């Protein structure tokens, strides 16, 4: 058994710390990348909804001549989404598209003959599908973010996180007023 | 000490509490491509559907599943369907070519959940049409056999109206792999029986060791497991010893037949309906829901 000198002990400790930092850092990278990749999924379904908007507008506009201002709001929200750069900006812009859509659906209630059109029913099926996808991917995103956030806060990894600059990610939270989304039932 | 045990039981219960809070109540493992937990289908329809869907899987590699449950509990049909889809992993991993037709009996709701890979073929609009126009009318009359069968046929023809890549891919599902292993297993069983017959009748018990050693060397060469040789030699010796002993005892009592080494009553080898589970695919919330 080699002599246990002080210098050897110190070297041993440094090696152990190094190994720990190495695996700890890689662990943080892994969860961070999982968050980013899941965000890409969220953006993909946001894009899907974004692409649906012109179709939605076209389908409804023909019938809803009196309520043209809602289309203006939708166009605004769409432009803002296209211009958003950071993750938080995109999330906020997506929220605006949601409220604009909600308003659109309320308007449609005033036009019963629109509801029976096949093109409109197809549109609603697409919208429901897209909204469901958004909710699934957001839920998964929140899961990934939660795992990451817990990871950077736990001791002793939080020291590593601070050293290497791993910051918290934000969860998706329900937009204010989301509890009061208009209840529209198109099957009636 | 009683108090320590009590404390550890309480701690264990507390640790399990979070699990209780989860509202999603899994119906359990899948029993095939068709899992009729709510008992909505007659056994003929269920068998027929299972056959059709397995044949479809063999041909195209896609896993179309049907599941009926009694109730959703706290979940909506959308959240339940996507969780069940993830839990079972419907569709081949990577390809995500699975779809789930979920029916909840007491809630009177259904959903077609489409895996990522099939979203182009089985679109949301198609799914909605199948639910509203094909399945719902039958369900309203409590005719689940026809409703579910018609719904499945409609799903298959919606998917097939596009082109699909043919076989080869079907071997990746656990079901496909199950067949390969069955084949290997039967060959192995045959070899095993032949070996036992030889080893038993030999008076000595070193032959088992020789065979074990040979097999071990082969495994070593093919799979680079250097330790397999000594292990298999030992196992071979041991096995031969046991088998020879049993043979001697059995021949002493005069009851030899070809399968003398099987103790006890008749054994049934389950050849047919092996269900190994789904392929690990996932879905992203595509599809449509409806009620009746």
């Amino acid at each position: 058994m080699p002599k246990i000198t002080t210098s050897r002990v110190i070297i041993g400790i440094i090696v152990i710390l190094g190994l720990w930092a190495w695996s700890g850092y890689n662990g943080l990278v892994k969860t961070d990348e999982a968050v980013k990749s899941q965000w890409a999924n969220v953006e993909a379904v946001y894009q899907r909804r974004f692409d649906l908007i012109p179709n939605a507008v076209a389908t409804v506009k023909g019938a809803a001549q009196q309520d043209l201002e809602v289309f203006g709001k939708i166009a605004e929200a769409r432009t803002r989404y296209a211009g958003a750069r950071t993750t938080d900006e995109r999330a906020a812009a997506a929220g605006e598209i949601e409220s604009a859509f909600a308003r659109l659906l309320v308007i449609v209630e005033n036009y019963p003959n629109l509801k029976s059109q096949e093109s409109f029913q197809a549109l609603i099926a697409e919208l429901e599908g897209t909204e469901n996808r958004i909710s699934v991917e957001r839920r998964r995103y929140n899961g990934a973010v939660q795992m990451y956030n817990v990871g950077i806060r736990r001791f002793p990894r939080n020291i590593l996180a601070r050293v290497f600059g791993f910051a918290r990610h934000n969860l998706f939270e329900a937009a204010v007023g989301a509890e009061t989304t208009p209840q529209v039932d198109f099957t009636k | 000490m009683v108090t320590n045990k009590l404390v550890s039981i309480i701690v264990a219960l507390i640790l399990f509490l979070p699990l209780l809070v989860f509202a999603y109540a899994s119906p359990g493992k899948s029993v095939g491509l068709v899992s009729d937990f709510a008992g909505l289908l007659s056994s003929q329809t269920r068998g027929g559907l299972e056959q059709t869907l397995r044949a479809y899987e063999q041909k195209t590699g896609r896993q179309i599943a049907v599941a009926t449950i009694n109730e959703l509990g706290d979940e909506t049909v959308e959240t339940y369907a996507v969780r069940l889809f993830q839990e079972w992993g419907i569709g081949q991993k990577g390809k995500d070519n699975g779809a789930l037709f979920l029916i909840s009996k007491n809630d009177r709701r259904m959903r077609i959940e489409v895996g990522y890979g099939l979203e182009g073929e089985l679109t949301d609009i198609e799914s909605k049409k199948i639910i509203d126009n094909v399945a719902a009318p039958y369900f309203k009359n409590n005719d689940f056999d026809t409703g579910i069968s018609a719904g499945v046929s409609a799903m298959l023809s919606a998917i097939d109206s596009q082109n699909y890549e043919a076989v080869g891919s079907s071997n990746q599902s656990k079901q496909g792999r199950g067949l390969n292993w069955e084949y290997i297993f039967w060959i192995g069983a045959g070899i095993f029986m032949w070996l036992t017959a030889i080893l038993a009748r030999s008076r000595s018990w070193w032959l088992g060791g020789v065979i074990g050693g040979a097999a071990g060397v082969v495994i070593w060469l093919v799979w680079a497991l250097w330790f397999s040789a000594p292990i298999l030699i030992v196992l071979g010796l041991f096995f031969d010893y046991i088998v020879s002993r049993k043979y001697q005892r059995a021949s002493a009592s005069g009851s030899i037949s070809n399968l003398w080494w099987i103790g006890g009553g008749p054994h049934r080898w389950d050849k047919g309906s092996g269900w190994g589970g789904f392929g690990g695919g996932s879905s992203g919330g595509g599809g449509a829901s409806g009620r009746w």
Side-chain angles (χ1 to χ4, degrees):
Chain A
M1 176 109 173
K3 235 171 70 169
I4 308 178
T5 60
T6 336
S7 55
R8 290 221 176 108
V9 168
I10 292 178
I11 292 178
I13 292 179
I14 292 179
V15 165
I16 292 178
L17 277 180
L19 286 175
W20 164 76
W22 183 19
S23 80
Y25 177 76
N26 285 350
L28 288 173
V29 165
K30 200 164 94 152
T31 47
D32 193 27
E33 284 305 311
V35 169
K36 295 208 173 97
S37 112
Q38 184 54 31
W39 175 253
N41 287 352
V42 172
E43 283 212 356
V45 291
Y46 273 164
Q47 192 61 38
R48 188 195 177 97
R49 180 172 60 186
F50 182 80
D51 294 336
L52 271 184
I53 293 179
N55 182 25
V57 166
T59 307
V60 177
K61 209 169 195 179
Q65 291 301 323
Q66 286 93 310
D67 297 285
L68 293 177
E69 43 137 336
V70 72
F71 299 113
K73 288 258 161 38
I74 293 181
E76 260 179 56
R78 189 165 181 261
T79 317
R80 202 160 306 145
Y81 181 79
R85 289 287 153 243
T86 70
T87 304
D88 290 336
E89 266 176 42
R90 294 227 127 168
E96 281 180 31
I97 294 190
E98 259 143 50
S99 357
F101 253 127
R103 238 169 281 144
L104 176 69
L105 291 179
V106 172
I107 302 265
V108 167
E109 274 296 288
N110 298 333
Y111 299 93
N113 54 334
L114 181 59
K115 284 199 247 177
S116 52
Q117 280 177 29
E118 185 162 329
S119 57
F120 183 75
Q121 284 173 358
L123 172 72
I124 291 301
E126 291 249 28
L127 278 178
E128 279 174 7
T130 307
E131 290 302 319
N132 190 40
R133 286 186 179 85
I134 289 179
S135 115
V136 167
E137 298 298 347
R138 291 212 280 218
R139 226 179 300 135
R140 290 183 183 159
Y141 179 76
N142 277 357
V145 166
Q146 189 189 28
M147 210 157 72
Y148 170 80
N149 282 349
V150 166
I152 64 171
R153 283 191 59 193
R154 269 190 158 140
F155 184 79
R157 246 186 222 185
N158 54 352
I159 303 174
L160 272 182
R162 219 166 296 155
V163 164
F164 288 110
F166 283 96
R168 256 187 93 90
H169 283 304
N170 292 328
L171 291 166
F172 271 113
E173 270 136 15
V176 175
E179 324 84 69
T180 54
T181 35
Q183 292 305 317
V184 198
D185 186 358
F186 293 104
T187 58
K188 295 222 180 72
Chain B
M1 282 264 306
V2 172
T3 40
N4 275 352
K5 194 161 181 204
L6 191 57
V7 165
S8 49
I9 292 179
I10 292 178
V11 166
L13 283 176
I14 292 176
L15 285 178
F16 281 128
L17 260 181
L19 293 179
L20 296 175
V21 170
F22 285 171
Y24 168 68
S26 165
K29 287 170 81 151
S30 58
V31 299
L33 283 165
V34 178
S35 301
D36 185 17
F37 297 111
L40 294 174
L41 293 169
S42 71
S43 53
Q44 283 143 303
T45 319
R46 189 175 56 241
L49 264 181
E50 181 80 28
Q51 255 185 336
T52 314
L53 291 174
R54 292 230 189 162
Y56 186 74
E57 190 202 348
Q58 283 297 313
K59 196 161 72 136
T60 65
R62 301 180 179 130
Q63 300 184 320
I64 311 299
V66 176
T68 71
I69 55 172
N70 278 314
E71 47 178 34
L72 296 165
D74 290 332
E75 304 280 306
T76 63
V77 73
E78 288 85 13
T79 56
Y80 195 99
V82 74
R83 285 176 106 138
L84 185 61
F85 200 106
Q86 289 306 115
E87 181 190 329
W88 285 354
I90 302 172
Q92 294 167 349
K93 196 169 174 97
K95 282 204 183 149
D96 294 328
N97 50 1
L100 169 68
F101 187 15
L102 174 72
I103 299 108
S104 173
K105 175 172 154 192
N106 297 345
D107 305 274
R108 295 174 76 100
R109 284 190 196 266
M110 56 177 138
R111 177 168 178 86
I112 293 179
E113 178 78 18
V114 182
Y116 283 118
L118 284 181
E119 284 187 7
E121 289 95 335
L122 185 50
T123 63
D124 296 351
I125 297 174
E126 272 304 318
S127 307
K128 187 88 178 129
K129 283 193 194 149
I130 293 173
I131 285 186
D132 287 345
N133 304 340
V134 175
Y138 288 111
F139 288 5
K140 283 189 179 127
N141 293 333
N142 268 328
D143 185 1
F144 294 104
D145 280 341
T146 324
I148 294 181
S149 306
V152 167
S153 305
M155 282 167 72
L156 294 183
S157 51
I159 297 175
D160 287 341
S161 62
Q162 318 289 327
N163 289 325
Y164 53 77
E165 334 97 65
V167 195
S169 39
S170 66
N171 284 330
Q172 281 176 37
S173 76
K174 282 202 190 133
Q175 167 73 56
R177 250 188 280 140
L179 279 180
N180 277 337
W181 281 116
E182 253 196 295
Y183 195 57
I184 293 176
F185 171 70
W186 283 111
I187 294 182
I191 295 180
F192 177 72
M193 287 202 274
W194 174 71
L195 272 180
T196 36
I198 295 181
L199 293 176
R201 286 180 171 87
S202 74
R203 285 298 174 85
S204 65
W205 38 271
W206 50 261
L207 186 56
V210 168
I211 294 182
V217 167
V218 167
I219 292 180
W220 174 36
L221 289 174
V222 174
W223 285 289
L225 296 171
W226 59 268
F227 48 79
S228 62
I231 288 182
L232 282 178
I233 289 178
V234 170
L235 281 177
L237 284 170
F238 188 60
F239 180 65
D240 193 0
Y241 177 66
I242 298 229
V243 154
S244 298
R245 284 279 298 273
K246 278 199 78 173
Y247 183 78
Q248 281 158 20
R249 267 193 234 124
S251 62
S253 68
S255 55
I256 301 276
S257 68
N258 265 337
L259 298 174
W260 59 268
W261 51 274
I262 295 181
H267 283 243
R268 274 171 25 91
W269 298 89
D270 190 345
K271 273 178 93 156
S273 55
W275 171 245
F278 291 97
S282 48
S283 87
S289 331
R291 54 210 308 199
W292 74 89

